[in-house]
Amino acid sequence: MCRGYSAIFLILLIACAGVGNEPIPGQLAHHVVGGFRNTNSDFRRPSAWTRWSFVVRRLWTTSISPRTFDAPRVSNDGALLRAGSVNPSITWIGHSTLLVQINGVNILTDPQWSERASPVSWAGPRRLSPPGLAFEDLPRIDVVLISHDHYDHLDLNTVKRLVAARDPLFLVPLGLKACAAHRAHTLSYRGWPPAHPTVGPTNGRRNSAR
């Protein structure tokens, strides 16, 4: 029980955490001490009460009255995906996890095969339905794209499984290279369109901090 209260308290602290506003000399305007900031002059950060109440409601919902979801499932042929017979193709696995197969390259986005989107295995939002594709049925994975570090998008257990089983290249945003894997390349937003249009980050505005 103490472990559960400690985790809840830590999550609440994170909900109210922020970064500094001091710019870093020689860096782009959105780079500040301790992270990044939204340079949109119209942006207003929600109050501490708004962030706390949101987290408390989510914790209460997932712990006391978790949601249920019974979606129809269509069986898939893992052998067909591994053979790459249908190319290009996109297979939705769940939430933001997609398997993209194009020109002989297999790309996985925001991989999440864990039971919970949480820093711990015994608490946090539970998966509503199993992944649309079993981890063991994955084909060769060449590249993994990570959008941001929320636990439903960057799952360290899944990352470790991918490194051990497929050893792909990870393309991650600034600040996440250490979290991703030993083969990680950082994508830095330098304006739009990106200098290398094949793979490049967009100017996303998303609260993101572990």
Side-chain angles (χ1 to χ4, degrees), residues 94-165:
H95 193 41
S96 293
T97 305
L98 301 171
L99 171 63
V100 182
Q101 297 179 286
I102 183 169
N103 296 332
V105 178
N106 296 331
I107 303 169
L108 200 59
T109 67
D110 290 348
Q112 226 291 6
W113 265 267
S114 292
E115 183 63 22
R116 295 181 184 272
S118 170
V120 294
S121 61
W122 44 268
R126 187 187 294 273
R127 181 184 288 277
L128 294 180
S129 60
L133 179 68
F135 185 89
E136 294 73 20
D137 287 336
L138 280 173
R140 180 195 77 252
I141 300 299
D142 301 297
V143 178
V144 174
L145 296 176
I146 302 292
S147 62
H148 61 290
D149 68 354
H150 287 180
Y151 291 102
D152 53 342
H153 294 260
L154 174 55
D155 178 60
L156 293 184
N157 287 331
T158 300
V159 166
K160 292 175 182 177
R161 293 179 69 185
L162 283 169
V163 170

Side-chain angles (χ1 to χ4, degrees), residues 19-33 35-40 189-191 203:
V19 299
N21 291 315
E22 292 298 323
I24 301 176
Q27 296 292 333
L28 297 178
H30 64 282
H31 291 226
V32 296
V33 176
F36 310 96
R37 66 174 177 177
N38 191 336
T39 56
N40 185 348
Y189 177 76
R190 295 287 178 180
N203 185 12

Side-chain angles (χ1 to χ4, degrees), residues 69-83:
F69 181 67
D70 185 18
R73 295 179 57 79
V74 178
S75 59
N76 58 74
D77 189 344
L80 187 67
L81 292 174
R82 290 192 295 275

Side-chain angles (χ1 to χ4, degrees), residues 169-208:
L169 172 68
F170 285 77
L171 299 180
V172 302
L174 288 171
L176 298 188
K177 188 172 184 179
C179 294
H182 65 290
R183 289 185 62 205
H185 178 72
T186 299
L187 295 177
S188 174
Y189 177 76
R190 295 287 178 180
W192 184 259
H196 304 287
T198 303
V199 179
T202 62
N203 185 12
R205 295 185 174 93
R206 184 75 163 93
N207 180 40
S208 179

Side-chain angles (χ1 to χ4, degrees), residues 9-27:
F9 181 69
L10 178 60
I11 293 173
L12 291 175
L13 285 179
I14 293 173
C16 292
V19 299
N21 291 315
E22 292 298 323
I24 301 176
Q27 296 292 333

Side-chain angles (χ1 to χ4, degrees), residues 51-105:
R51 301 197 299 275
W52 273 71
S53 59
F54 170 78
V55 172
V56 169
R57 287 196 304 270
R58 290 297 299 271
L59 288 173
W60 177 266
T61 300
T62 57
S63 301
I64 306 302
S65 180
R67 294 177 295 169
T68 59
F69 181 67
D70 185 18
R73 295 179 57 79
V74 178
S75 59
N76 58 74
D77 189 344
L80 187 67
L81 292 174
R82 290 192 295 275
S85 303
V86 181
N87 198 313
S89 70
I90 298 178
T91 302
W92 180 50
I93 298 172
H95 193 41
S96 293
T97 305
L98 301 171
L99 171 63
V100 182
Q101 297 179 286
I102 183 169
N103 296 332
V105 178

